[in-house]
Every structure is written in C-alpha cells, then in structure tokens.
C-alpha cells in the first residue's frame, strides 16, 4: 500500500460505525477519493476535529489497490468553512460547491485546476464575496473543466452566429443556443432572455481570461438560477439537491 500526502476538501461525510466515518474528499493531486477514517468519531482521535464538511485539510492516506476504501491515517485542518455558522445562503452555496464537485467527477481522476477552483469558491464564500457571483463562477469553471460549457454566441448544432435579442432558444441537452433552422423538432429547448444569454456569454469570456466578474443584477438572478439548475441537471443526469436551496440567490 502506498502512502500519499495531499491537500483535500471534505465533500461528503458519512458515519460508518460508532467510532468511524467514510469521507469523500476532493484532493489536489488524486482527484476524488473515498476513505475510511477509523476512530474519527472518538473524542481524542488522530484527526483532531479536522474532518468537517467543506474543510480544507492536509491528509495522509493509504491507497488500496482493490475496490476497498482507501484508509485515512492523518488529517490536519488548514481552513474550516466558517460560513456554516454565520449565513444560511453561504452555507447552502458551500454545500452546492461540494455537490457539483462530487457529481461532475469520477473517483481517482486528478484535476488540480478544479480543486483550486473549488477551494477558491469556498474561500470567496467565507470572505464575503457576492453569493450569486461566486456560485456562477464556480459552476462555469466546473463545467469548463468537465468540457460542458454552453455555447452562447453560435448555434450549438450548426455553428451559425446567434445574436440574442428579446428571447433566444436554448437547448439544454444540446448545450447552448440554437438558430431558427436548428430549433424545430429538437427536445429540451427552453426560451431564455437575451439578458441571461448575454450575461452568461460575458461571464464565460471573463472566466477564460481570468478577469473579475461583473455584479449580477437582482432582476435576472431568478431566471439565471433556473437556467443553470436545469443546464447542470442535463449535464449531470439529474437535478442537484442543492439547486432548490439556491433558488433565491
Ligand atoms: Zn443552427
């Protein structure tokens, strides 16, 4: 068994026995990992209370070669997700970061950029950044890493330029806006406002050049959340549990 050291975000925590728990961790170097933490629920465990949901931790774990769970041997807390105690909307947003991370990734598929993006999103939520803006940046970054960014300025089927004015047809399954030729007969098409289409287009451009985000106007937040919840659901295969809790963001 190889012993590995890395940083990780705790994205799921399930009690396993009276003294142990099973963790899902998204690690900096090994992607998503499921590990058993023996004795973690004892008052004086080797993990010193580091194993909190959404905490950033430095871990040592033993990789099992078979289907067995990896074994967590050490965990040191680097940063707790403190918003949990302060603000429900930030807590839900944090859970959503974890849920999307868990759903979009396969076990043992390393992706350092995705790890850094999740870490940054949790830190932003904890340090007072705008909640709707942080959620959107995280979603777009996660979708980009997974190769699922929507197309907003060209028809996703034929590539013809589409200018959003008034309302524009958006294929949830197809993955972006549709021209008038490609729209008929296609399933899973909704009509989105030009305001939301353009906001998404500009935020994707900003993401790609690592530029700061623009504030999201309150009047488009409801529609934006509905569009993103449905879009993410189509990419993942089911609606995310936390989507409903973000509806008012
Ligand atoms: Zn087309």
């Amino acid at each position: 068994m190889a012993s590995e050291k890395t940083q990780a975000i705790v994205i799921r925590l399930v009690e396993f026995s009276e003294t142990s728990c099973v963790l899902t961790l998204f690690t900096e170097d090994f992607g998503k990992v499921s590990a058993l933490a023996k004795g973690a629920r004892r008052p004086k465990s080797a993990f010193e209370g580091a194993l909190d949901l959404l905490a950033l931790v430095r871990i040592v774990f033993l990789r099992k070669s078979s289907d067995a769970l990896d074994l967590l041997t050490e965990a040191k807390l680097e940063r707790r997700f403190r918003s949990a105690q302060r603000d429900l909307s930030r807590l839900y947003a944090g859970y959503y970061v974890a849920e999307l991370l868990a759903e979009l990734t396969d076990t043992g598929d390393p992706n350092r950029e995705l790890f850094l993006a999740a870490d940054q999103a949790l830190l932003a939520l904890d340090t007072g950044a705008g909640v709707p803006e942080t959620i959107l940046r995280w979603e777009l970054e996660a979708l980009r890493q997974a190769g699922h960014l929507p197309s907003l300025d060209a028809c996703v089927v034929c590539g013809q330029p589409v200018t959003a004015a008034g309302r524009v047809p958006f294929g949830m399954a197809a993955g972006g806006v549709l021209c008038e030729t490609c729209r008929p007969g296609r399933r899973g098409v909704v009509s989105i406002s030009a305001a939301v289409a353009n906001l998404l287009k500009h935020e994707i451009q900003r993401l790609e050049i690592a530029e700061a985000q623009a504030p999201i106007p309150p009047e488009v937040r409801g529609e934006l959340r509905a569009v993103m919840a449905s879009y993410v659901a189509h990419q993942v295969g089911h609606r995310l549990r936390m989507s409903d809790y973000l509806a008012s963001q």
Side-chain angles (χ1 to χ4, degrees):
M1 278 187 296
S3 169
E4 309 280 15
K5 286 182 190 178
T6 186
Q7 273 198 315
I9 298 166
V10 181
I11 57 173
R12 207 174 275 161
L13 214 161
V14 180
E15 292 176 2
F16 179 70
S17 69
E18 248 171 69
T19 56
S20 302
C21 55
V22 173
L23 293 131
T24 307
L25 301 148
F26 197 83
T27 68
E28 184 172 7
D29 301 298
F30 309 97
K32 192 166 69 179
V33 164
S34 290
L36 178 66
K38 284 185 183 167
R41 304 184 59 216
R42 287 206 184 97
K44 286 185 178 174
S45 82
F47 307 111
E48 300 166 39
L51 301 178
D52 256 2
L53 200 56
L54 306 176
L56 177 69
V57 290
R58 185 161 285 282
I59 60 165
V60 180
F61 69 105
L62 295 173
R63 300 186 90 176
K64 297 287 182 81
S65 46
S66 64
D67 284 347
L69 286 171
D70 292 336
L71 192 64
L72 195 68
T73 56
E74 278 176 46
K76 272 211 157 41
L77 183 68
E78 301 246 305
R79 194 183 67 235
R80 211 180 285 285
F81 185 65
R82 291 168 306 144
S83 294
Q85 281 106 46
R86 292 201 299 242
D87 181 336
L88 212 52
S89 69
R90 289 175 189 276
L91 176 64
Y92 290 155
Y95 287 161
Y96 179 67
V97 170
E99 189 182 13
L100 186 54
L101 196 50
E103 296 292 343
L104 265 185
T105 57
D106 293 319
T107 299
D109 183 15
N111 188 332
R112 178 171 278 129
E113 272 196 69
L114 189 57
F115 168 83
L116 294 174
D119 183 43
Q120 203 151 47
L122 292 173
L123 184 61
L125 289 169
D126 240 358
T127 49
V131 176
E133 289 80 7
T134 305
I135 292 171
L136 181 64
R137 175 58 66 108
W138 158 245
E139 281 170 326
L140 294 178
E141 182 64 84
L143 290 168
R144 177 166 76 147
Q145 296 293 330
H148 293 316
L149 270 183
S151 170
L152 274 313
D153 48 12
C155 171
V156 69
V157 177
C158 72
Q160 199 184 122
V162 173
T163 308
R167 300 193 75 80
V168 56
F170 184 95
M172 285 292 169
V177 293
L178 296 160
C179 72
E180 288 308 325
T181 314
C182 297
R183 177 184 188 163
R186 206 161 278 279
R187 286 192 297 178
V189 180
V190 298
S191 156
I192 70 174
S193 70
V196 163
N198 286 323
L199 185 147
L200 283 172
K201 182 168 89 174
H202 292 136
E203 283 311 323
I204 288 170
Q205 287 167 351
R206 290 191 184 98
L207 175 73
E208 281 167 347
I209 57 169
E211 198 178 88
Q213 287 175 276
I216 299 174
E219 63 273 16
V220 302
R221 287 179 190 171
E223 187 193 352
L224 177 67
R225 270 299 103 227
V227 169
M228 289 308 293
S230 176
Y231 185 71
V232 167
H234 274 82
Q235 308 313 312
V236 168
H238 63 93
R239 194 173 167 87
L240 296 200
R241 210 165 49 88
M242 291 313 298
S243 288
D244 297 332
Y245 293 86
L246 304 179
S248 58
Q249 300 297 322

